Amino acid sequence: MKKVLELKNVSKKYQAKNGEIEALKDISFFVNEGEFVSIIGPSGCGKSTLLSIIAGLEPKTEGEIKLEEKIGYMLQRDSLLEWRSIYNNVMFGLEIGHKKTKESEEYAIELLKKYGLYEFKDKYPNQLSGGMRQRVALIRTLAIKPKILLLDEAFSALDYQTRIMVTNDIFKILKNENITALIVTHDISEAISMSDRVIVLTKRPATIKNVHTINFEMENRTPLNCRESPKFSKYFDTIWKELDVHA
Ligand code: ADP
Ligand code: MG
């Protein structure tokens, strides 16, 4: 298996006005090509910090990060631009990365068609449901052809029913496009249902408490159908007990 991302002893201290805030301490893990890995931990423990460092948006204090592939980044807010059509929102990702060529535009159109958004291309974000908006945000990210996608609480703004459907939808698209995913969430069910491994973090400063391999031993696993498996609740209980939710 090829490692596409590896962290070794990564630490992060923020210099704040009233002193130092230690967010991450000695974080080491790897992600193999094609794998879906979730990171779960209590609110404020350092999860977004970790993704920002991997994305290169924030400097680390110590440690090493090996990143073999191009990454994309998806956040809690879909951050679609309300005044731009769906088509122009998808193109925006290419524009800001100075990647808009005839080829990249054609690839984006292909994605819009493949994932049922082309007929909505002239609509505006406020004319779409939360689930559809999230799909547009995903297509915008995929248009830059990332190999690894970082998702930071990407579904948490959606209501429960929508969240389950959107998670399923996005899982299938990512598998179909051979994307490797690193998913940050505080939702245990979401982590289990999407991942090959779940990394549990402690409260701040985040350290790795445990790593769980998730295997439902089923063909055509999807986030929806693995929720039916008896193993699902076993994984849930184990991780629930480990998570320091009262911290
Ligand atoms: P999580 O995503 O797990 O909720 P964060 O990574 O956002 O946690 O934050 C971890 C800790 O680092 C928090 O205590 C937060 O207040 C602090 N923090 C985050 N960003 C900054 C910053 N830019 N400057 C100072 N402290 C920060
Ligand atoms: Mg966060």
Side-chain angles (χ1 to χ4, degrees):
M1 282 249 196
K2 183 182 163 199
K3 286 180 193 168
V4 289
L5 170 66
E6 186 168 19
L7 277 74
K8 284 184 178 165
N9 311 104
V10 170
S11 300
K12 172 71 181 178
K13 286 178 183 145
Y14 286 110
Q15 305 301 331
K17 270 186 222 124
N18 43 355
E20 226 172 41
I21 296 172
E22 192 176 18
L24 305 173
K25 194 173 172 180
D26 208 18
I27 301 282
S28 302
F29 68 91
F30 60 88
V31 181
N32 286 323
E33 188 169 26
E35 234 185 346
F36 278 31
V37 174
S38 280
I39 294 177
I40 194 158
S43 179
C45 77
K47 302 182 292 300
S48 294
T49 299
L50 184 57
L51 280 202
S52 300
I53 289 175
I54 295 169
L57 304 170
E58 184 71 53
K60 58 183 165 17
T61 308
E62 276 176 80
E64 200 186 325
I65 298 178
K66 285 192 210 162
L67 186 60
E68 302 285 335
E69 303 281 0
K70 186 154 87 180
I71 55 168
Y73 202 17
M74 227 170 106
L75 305 170
Q76 179 175 347
R77 281 191 54 248
D78 58 39
S79 55
L80 297 180
L81 304 170
E82 301 295 339
W83 63 92
R84 281 191 164 218
S85 67
I86 297 311
Y87 186 85
N88 287 326
N89 262 288
V90 169
M91 294 308 155
F92 185 69
L94 295 171
E95 286 164 23
I96 53 169
H98 305 290
K99 302 251 164 50
K100 195 169 171 193
T101 60
K102 197 165 185 318
E103 287 74 32
S104 67
E105 187 164 358
E106 275 166 10
Y107 179 65
I109 291 171
E110 192 186 310
L111 288 172
L112 282 166
K113 286 183 177 163
K114 192 168 169 187
Y115 295 114
L117 288 170
Y118 193 71
E119 60 187 290
F120 299 96
K121 69 178 172 44
D122 298 321
K123 298 227 180 292
Y124 286 81
N126 67 12
Q127 296 175 288
L128 265 54
S129 67
M132 289 287 272
R133 290 177 63 117
Q134 207 60 334
R135 195 193 284 207
V136 173
L138 177 66
I139 299 307
R140 180 180 58 189
T141 307
L142 294 183
I144 63 164
K145 294 194 174 179
K147 290 297 289 173
I148 306 175
L149 186 63
L150 308 178
L151 298 107
D152 191 354
E153 309 268 8
F155 313 112
S156 62
L158 303 168
D159 65 74
Y160 181 75
Q161 297 293 338
T162 310
R163 191 161 75 227
I164 290 185
M165 298 318 291
V166 171
T167 308
N168 211 56
D169 183 41
I170 285 182
F171 178 92
K172 286 182 185 167
I173 297 174
L174 295 180
K175 288 290 178 198
N176 206 21
E177 300 296 325
N178 289 317
I179 306 277
T180 304
L182 184 61
I183 302 157
V184 156
T185 177
H186 62 262
D187 182 328
I188 303 174
S189 298
E190 186 179 299
I192 297 167
S193 70
M194 288 194 87
S195 319
D196 302 298
R197 276 187 294 136
V198 175
I199 298 174
V200 181
L201 300 180
T202 62
K203 63 180 180 178
R204 192 174 67 80
T207 57
I208 293 180
K209 191 164 197 173
N210 209 345
V211 181
H212 299 267
T213 301
I214 309 293
N215 185 358
F216 288 103
E217 289 149 13
M218 51 167 70
E219 278 173 46
N220 303 319
R221 172 187 163 181
T222 66
L224 261 184
N225 68 19
C226 70
R227 285 173 185 259
E228 313 283 307
S229 163
K231 287 181 101 177
F232 191 88
S233 53
K234 285 189 187 149
Y235 286 132
F236 188 98
D237 286 346
T238 313
I239 295 171
W240 168 257
K241 282 177 190 136
E242 257 174 38
L243 257 185
D244 216 341
V245 285
H246 305 295

